[in-house]
Amino acid sequence: ADGARQSMMGLEKPLIAMIRGYCLGGGLGVALTADFRIASSDSQFGIPAARLSIAYAFEGVKSLVALVGPGVAKQILFSARRYPAETALRMGLIEEVTAPEDLETTVRGYAEAIAENAPLSIRATKLTVAQVLGDDSKRDMAMLKELGREALDSADYKEGRQAFMEKRRPLFVGR
Protein backbone atom coordinates (compact mmCIF):
# COMPACT_ATOMS: atom_id res chain seq x y z
CA ALA A 1 0.00 0.00 0.00
CA ASP A 2 2.84 2.41 0.82
CA GLY A 3 4.48 1.68 -2.54
CA ALA A 4 1.26 2.51 -4.38
CA ARG A 5 0.83 5.69 -2.35
CA GLN A 6 4.40 6.77 -3.12
CA SER A 7 3.89 6.01 -6.82
CA MET A 8 0.75 8.13 -6.93
CA MET A 9 2.37 10.97 -4.99
CA GLY A 10 5.35 10.88 -7.36
CA LEU A 11 3.32 11.35 -10.53
CA GLU A 12 4.36 14.35 -12.58
CA LYS A 13 0.93 14.55 -14.21
CA PRO A 14 -2.04 15.84 -12.21
CA LEU A 15 -4.09 13.19 -10.42
CA ILE A 16 -7.80 13.80 -9.86
CA ALA A 17 -9.73 11.58 -7.45
CA MET A 18 -13.25 10.85 -8.71
CA ILE A 19 -15.23 9.65 -5.69
CA ARG A 20 -18.63 8.03 -5.61
CA GLY A 21 -19.99 6.20 -2.61
CA TYR A 22 -18.00 5.28 0.48
CA CYS A 23 -14.52 6.77 0.82
CA LEU A 24 -13.38 5.45 4.18
CA GLY A 25 -10.10 4.57 5.88
CA GLY A 26 -7.54 3.39 3.36
CA GLY A 27 -9.76 4.48 0.48
CA LEU A 28 -9.69 8.01 1.82
CA GLY A 29 -5.92 7.63 2.24
CA VAL A 30 -5.67 6.86 -1.47
CA ALA A 31 -7.88 9.85 -2.32
CA LEU A 32 -5.62 12.09 -0.22
CA THR A 33 -2.72 11.34 -2.58
CA ALA A 34 -4.59 13.00 -5.45
CA ASP A 35 -4.00 16.62 -6.38
CA PHE A 36 -7.67 17.31 -5.81
CA ARG A 37 -10.88 15.40 -5.15
CA ILE A 38 -14.31 15.64 -6.77
CA ALA A 39 -17.14 13.63 -5.25
CA SER A 40 -20.75 12.83 -5.95
CA SER A 41 -23.30 14.17 -3.49
CA ASP A 42 -24.10 10.62 -2.31
CA SER A 43 -20.51 10.01 -1.10
CA GLN A 44 -19.49 9.53 2.51
CA PHE A 45 -16.07 10.13 4.04
CA GLY A 46 -14.31 9.07 7.21
CA ILE A 47 -11.46 7.30 8.90
CA PRO A 48 -12.74 4.67 11.36
CA ALA A 49 -9.26 3.85 12.77
CA ALA A 50 -10.26 4.90 16.33
CA ARG A 51 -13.11 2.36 16.26
CA LEU A 52 -10.68 -0.41 15.38
CA SER A 53 -7.75 0.52 17.65
CA ILE A 54 -5.60 1.36 14.64
CA ALA A 55 -2.96 4.08 14.68
CA TYR A 56 -3.45 5.74 11.28
CA ALA A 57 -0.16 5.82 9.33
CA PHE A 58 2.07 8.90 9.46
CA GLU A 59 1.84 9.68 5.73
CA GLY A 60 -1.97 9.50 5.86
CA VAL A 61 -2.14 11.80 8.89
CA LYS A 62 0.38 14.17 7.30
CA SER A 63 -1.70 14.37 4.10
CA LEU A 64 -4.90 14.86 6.08
CA VAL A 65 -3.42 17.64 8.24
CA ALA A 66 -1.96 19.38 5.17
CA LEU A 67 -5.37 19.30 3.53
CA VAL A 68 -7.78 20.20 6.35
CA GLY A 69 -5.57 21.50 9.17
CA PRO A 70 -4.81 19.93 12.54
CA GLY A 71 -8.15 20.64 14.24
CA VAL A 72 -10.33 19.11 11.53
CA ALA A 73 -7.87 16.22 11.13
CA LYS A 74 -8.22 15.46 14.83
CA GLN A 75 -12.00 15.77 14.60
CA ILE A 76 -12.08 13.22 11.75
CA LEU A 77 -9.62 10.83 13.43
CA PHE A 78 -10.88 11.12 17.03
CA SER A 79 -14.58 10.80 16.21
CA ALA A 80 -14.31 8.10 13.51
CA ARG A 81 -17.54 9.57 12.10
CA ARG A 82 -18.78 9.35 8.54
CA TYR A 83 -19.30 12.70 6.89
CA PRO A 84 -21.58 13.41 3.92
CA ALA A 85 -20.06 15.01 0.83
CA GLU A 86 -21.30 18.54 1.63
CA THR A 87 -19.67 18.39 5.08
CA ALA A 88 -16.47 16.99 3.56
CA LEU A 89 -16.51 19.95 1.16
CA ARG A 90 -16.86 22.46 4.01
CA MET A 91 -14.03 20.72 5.88
CA GLY A 92 -11.74 21.02 2.89
CA LEU A 93 -11.49 17.25 2.48
CA ILE A 94 -12.75 17.51 -1.09
CA GLU A 95 -12.79 20.41 -3.53
CA GLU A 96 -16.10 19.92 -5.34
CA VAL A 97 -19.42 18.06 -5.06
CA THR A 98 -21.57 17.15 -8.04
CA ALA A 99 -24.77 15.23 -8.67
CA PRO A 100 -23.95 11.52 -9.14
CA GLU A 101 -25.00 11.65 -12.79
CA ASP A 102 -22.65 14.62 -13.42
CA LEU A 103 -19.57 13.22 -11.68
CA GLU A 104 -17.77 11.72 -14.67
CA THR A 105 -18.54 14.71 -16.91
CA THR A 106 -17.26 17.13 -14.27
CA VAL A 107 -14.02 15.21 -13.72
CA ARG A 108 -13.52 14.79 -17.47
CA GLY A 109 -14.03 18.55 -17.88
CA TYR A 110 -11.22 19.29 -15.42
CA ALA A 111 -8.95 16.72 -17.08
CA GLU A 112 -9.58 18.26 -20.50
CA ALA A 113 -8.98 21.80 -19.21
CA ILE A 114 -5.71 20.69 -17.61
CA ALA A 115 -4.65 18.88 -20.79
CA GLU A 116 -5.16 22.09 -22.80
CA ASN A 117 -2.90 24.10 -20.51
CA ALA A 118 0.88 24.38 -20.67
CA PRO A 119 2.51 21.16 -19.41
CA LEU A 120 5.54 23.06 -18.08
CA SER A 121 3.27 25.30 -15.99
CA ILE A 122 1.29 22.34 -14.65
CA ARG A 123 4.48 20.47 -13.75
CA ALA A 124 5.99 23.57 -12.09
CA THR A 125 2.83 24.15 -10.06
CA LYS A 126 2.69 20.55 -8.88
CA LEU A 127 6.35 20.57 -7.85
CA THR A 128 6.08 24.00 -6.20
CA VAL A 129 3.05 23.00 -4.12
CA ALA A 130 4.94 19.87 -3.03
CA GLN A 131 7.85 22.06 -1.94
CA VAL A 132 5.51 24.42 -0.06
CA LEU A 133 4.01 21.48 1.83
CA GLY A 134 7.35 19.77 2.48
CA ASP A 135 9.99 20.24 5.12
CA ASP A 136 11.38 23.81 5.05
CA SER A 137 14.93 22.53 5.54
CA LYS A 138 14.68 20.34 2.43
CA ARG A 139 13.11 22.95 0.16
CA ASP A 140 14.85 23.11 -3.23
CA MET A 141 14.58 26.77 -4.20
CA ALA A 142 17.18 26.33 -6.96
CA MET A 143 14.99 23.70 -8.61
CA LEU A 144 11.97 26.00 -8.37
CA LYS A 145 13.92 28.87 -9.91
CA GLU A 146 15.05 26.56 -12.73
CA LEU A 147 11.42 25.54 -13.38
CA GLY A 148 10.51 29.21 -13.78
CA ARG A 149 13.43 29.83 -16.12
CA GLU A 150 12.61 26.71 -18.14
CA ALA A 151 9.01 27.88 -18.60
CA LEU A 152 10.01 31.40 -19.66
CA ASP A 153 12.57 30.07 -22.14
CA SER A 154 10.14 27.57 -23.67
CA ALA A 155 8.42 27.45 -27.02
CA ASP A 156 5.19 27.10 -25.03
CA TYR A 157 5.71 30.52 -23.44
CA LYS A 158 6.13 32.06 -26.90
CA GLU A 159 3.05 30.17 -28.13
CA GLY A 160 1.00 31.29 -25.12
CA ARG A 161 1.86 34.94 -25.68
CA GLN A 162 1.26 34.70 -29.44
CA ALA A 163 -2.10 32.95 -28.95
CA PHE A 164 -3.13 35.62 -26.42
CA MET A 165 -2.30 38.40 -28.89
CA GLU A 166 -4.14 36.58 -31.69
CA LYS A 167 -7.13 35.85 -29.40
CA ARG A 168 -6.97 32.11 -30.01
CA ARG A 169 -6.36 29.01 -27.90
CA PRO A 170 -2.70 28.11 -27.53
CA LEU A 171 -1.39 24.76 -28.69
CA PHE A 172 1.22 23.67 -26.17
CA VAL A 173 3.83 20.97 -26.80
CA GLY A 174 5.61 20.79 -23.44
CA ARG A 175 8.89 22.35 -24.60
Side-chain angles (χ1 to χ4, degrees):
D2 283 340
R5 179 189 306 263
Q6 292 296 43
S7 292
M8 287 187 289
M9 290 172 67
L11 290 174
E12 284 196 16
K13 305 270 187 209
L15 178 61
I16 306 168
M18 181 170 68
I19 303 163
R20 181 156 187 200
Y22 294 105
C23 189
L24 305 170
L28 182 53
V30 169
L32 292 174
T33 65
D35 293 298
F36 59 97
R37 289 143 295 283
I38 300 172
S40 61
S41 58
D42 59 354
S43 297
Q44 292 185 31
F45 299 83
I47 301 173
R51 286 198 185 132
L52 304 168
S53 190
I54 295 172
Y56 206 63
F58 175 81
E59 283 302 320
V61 173
K62 181 179 176 185
S63 296
L64 184 64
V65 170
L67 191 61
V68 301
V72 174
K74 289 175 188 176
Q75 178 184 8
I76 291 167
L77 291 164
F78 291 171
S79 73
R81 287 183 175 170
R82 286 189 190 168
Y83 298 94
E86 287 297 333
T87 303
L89 177 67
R90 282 193 305 275
M91 291 173 143
L93 200 53
I94 58 177
E95 284 70 37
E96 191 165 335
V97 176
T98 71
E101 62 272 14
D102 297 332
L103 180 61
E104 188 171 339
T105 302
T106 300
V107 172
R108 188 174 303 279
Y110 274 102
E112 289 169 355
I114 292 166
E116 289 177 6
N117 288 327
L120 296 175
S121 292
I122 302 297
R123 180 174 176 262
T125 297
K126 186 162 176 152
L127 291 171
T128 301
V129 171
Q131 291 289 309
V132 167
L133 294 174
D135 185 344
D136 289 354
S137 68
K138 296 179 183 173
R139 200 160 284 151
D140 189 347
M141 297 307 288
M143 183 259 307
L144 296 177
K145 187 174 182 176
E146 178 60 23
L147 288 171
R149 188 202 57 72
E150 182 181 284
L152 285 176
D153 290 344
S154 72
D156 280 353
Y157 178 68
K158 291 177 184 105
E159 167 62 11
R161 288 187 342 195
Q162 188 69 33
F164 179 79
M165 299 303 278
E166 295 173 2
K167 296 180 176 34
R168 63 173 173 82
R169 280 192 164 162
L171 299 172
F172 296 116
V173 295
R175 296 189 300 272

